[in-house]
């Protein structure tokens, strides 16, 4: 096990020399989408920012609320000193080369980068984090994640889910290679259930976020029950991983993958963003496959508020690279 610092923003920053950071984030409908940026901005450590705005497939059901929430977030961003003219707009299904170009442009002029994954869809933050982690030009890299006060309930969090496929930039499955699946569970496992039924001989290692709020635990265990239903051949093994501990998730992944070739490991990141980031970092270094069914429409009320209405508690920061040393190398 390695010591990989993470936790309170100011404590994490105190562990290194004072530098000016470039901040990469996204304007989203959620209250929390620019919380980390405002926090760092108030600390006076941001040199420049590179923000995107990722537009879902338009839905008559959510069109008005989606527009209203984005306008509110843009107003807050502008009031905090952000330049609205520099926000890069994407469609949710835009090609990988556009995402990579954004990542490269955002890291061209500074060796110290903060990537906020809070409101980034996995289809975007996986290739962006992969680029930053592997780039020799990025010497210091911090990932941030902001916890909400609550998730939308009982409303669905997303709709119109795409078929099961590899995330952009990550290799496809080799049909002739027996896989060990490492799965983080959250609120969406429908297509994974279908895959489990069609591939009876593959081992499934399930990472369960714990501790977590009661509402999250309930939904998580419903997902686990849906996965295991009708499968009685002991294919599933379960492992608890602290919800916000990216480092512990990475260590658990390394333990489960020990002795297996990189292409024998496959990931399904359905669970919390910090665990997903750990999967991304492992898969990036070992060329492992990552599969996910991308929702095309997100509920604009996906979450509300930030934890305890307190950025110091809500925002976690994770050192990924420090002075050229990658803490998450395998």
């Amino acid at each position: 096990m390695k010591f990989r610092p993470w936790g309170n923003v100011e404590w994490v920053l105190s562990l290194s020399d004072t530098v000016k950071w470039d901040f990469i984030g996204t304007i989203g409908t959620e209250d929390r989408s620019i919380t980390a940026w405002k926090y760092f901005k108030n600390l006076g450590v941001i040199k420049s920012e590179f923000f995107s705005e990722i537009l879902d497939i338009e839905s008559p059901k959510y069109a008005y609320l989606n527009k209203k929430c984005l306008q509110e977030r843009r107003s807050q961003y502008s009031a905090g000193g952000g330049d609205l003219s520099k926000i890069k707009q994407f469609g949710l299904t835009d090609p990988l080369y556009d995402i990579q170009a954004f990542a490269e442009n955002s890291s061209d002029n500074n060796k110290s980068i903060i990537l906020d994954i809070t409101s980034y869809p996995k289809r975007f933050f996986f290739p962006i984090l992969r680029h930053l982690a592997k780039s020799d030009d990025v010497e210091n890299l911090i990932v941030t994640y902001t916890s909400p006060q609550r998730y939308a309930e009982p409303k669905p969090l997303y709709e119109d889910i795409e078929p099961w496929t590899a995330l952009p930039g990550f290799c496809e499955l080799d049909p002739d290679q027996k896989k060990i699946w490492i799965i983080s569970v959250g609120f969406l496992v429908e297509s994974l259930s279908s895959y489990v039924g069609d591939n009876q001989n593959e081992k499934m290692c399930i990472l369960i976020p714990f501790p977590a709020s009661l509402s999250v635990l309930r939904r998580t265990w419903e997902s686990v029950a849906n996965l295991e239903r009708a499968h009685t051949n002991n294919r599933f093994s379960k492992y608890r991983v602290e919800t916000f501990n990216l480092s512990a998730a990475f260590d658990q992944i390394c333990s489960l993958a020990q002795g297996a070739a990189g292409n024998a490991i496959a990931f399904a990141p359905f669970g919390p963003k910090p665990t997903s980031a750990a999967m991304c970092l492992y898969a990036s270094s070992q060329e492992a496959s990552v599969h996910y069914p991308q929702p095309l429409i997100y509920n604009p009320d996906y979450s509300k508020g930030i934890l305890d209405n307190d950025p110091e508690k809500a925002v976690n920061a994770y050192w990924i690279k420090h002075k050229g040393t990658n803490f998450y190398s395998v």
Side-chain angles (χ1 to χ4, degrees), residues 234-245:
N234 298 318
R235 296 171 60 195
F236 301 93
S237 52
K238 306 181 193 68
Y239 306 87
R240 293 180 180 178
V241 174
E242 187 179 344
T243 306
F244 305 114
N245 195 334

Side-chain angles (χ1 to χ4, degrees), residues 310-325:
D310 183 354
E312 285 192 35
K313 294 181 180 179
V315 182
N316 277 313
Y318 307 84
W319 274 106
I320 307 300
K321 296 169 73 175
H322 179 254
K323 294 185 177 180
T325 298

Side-chain angles (χ1 to χ4, degrees), residues 8 53 152 160 197 214 258 271 275 280 296-297:
N8 173 271
E53 185 178 74
D160 289 1
L214 289 177
Q258 192 170 18
T275 302
C280 175
L296 297 179
I297 297 171

Side-chain angles (χ1 to χ4, degrees), residues 121-179:
K122 295 182 178 78
R123 193 176 185 278
F124 279 75
F125 98 70
F126 266 66
I128 294 174
L129 178 55
R130 178 190 179 114
H131 167 76
L132 297 175
K134 298 186 78 169
S135 172
D136 292 334
D137 295 328
V138 177
E139 293 184 356
N140 300 306
L141 175 60
I142 287 176
V143 163
T144 59
Y145 175 75
T146 303
S147 301
Q149 184 62 32
R150 62 178 177 84
Y151 290 97
E153 194 172 355
K155 300 176 184 178
L157 298 179
Y158 22 60
E159 299 175 16
D160 289 1
I161 301 165
E162 281 194 319
W164 173 269
T165 187
L167 283 174
F170 292 83
C171 63
E172 296 281 353
L173 290 172
D174 179 354
D176 298 322
Q177 172 72 62
K178 186 177 180 180
K179 295 288 183 183

Side-chain angles (χ1 to χ4, degrees), residues 4 125-126 129-130 133-134 170-171 179-182 207 246-268 274-290 320 326-330:
R4 306 184 187 95
F125 98 70
F126 266 66
L129 178 55
R130 178 190 179 114
K134 298 186 78 169
F170 292 83
C171 63
K179 295 288 183 183
I180 297 173
W181 280 92
I182 301 177
L207 305 184
L246 195 162
S247 179
F250 190 82
D251 283 333
Q252 182 66 77
I253 290 166
C254 291
S255 176
L256 293 172
Q258 192 170 18
N263 63 0
I265 305 298
F267 293 101
T275 302
S276 296
M279 292 180 164
C280 175
L281 291 165
Y282 185 94
S284 297
S285 67
Q286 297 296 297
E287 299 302 324
S289 61
V290 182
I320 307 300
N326 188 337
F327 294 142
Y328 289 85
S329 60
V330 179

Side-chain angles (χ1 to χ4, degrees), residues 101-121:
F102 175 76
E104 290 166 5
N105 180 61
S106 303
S107 59
D108 269 350
N109 299 314
N110 198 348
K111 295 181 178 180
S112 299
I113 307 291
I114 296 166
L115 171 63
D116 182 40
I117 64 174
T118 302
S119 292
Y120 262 119

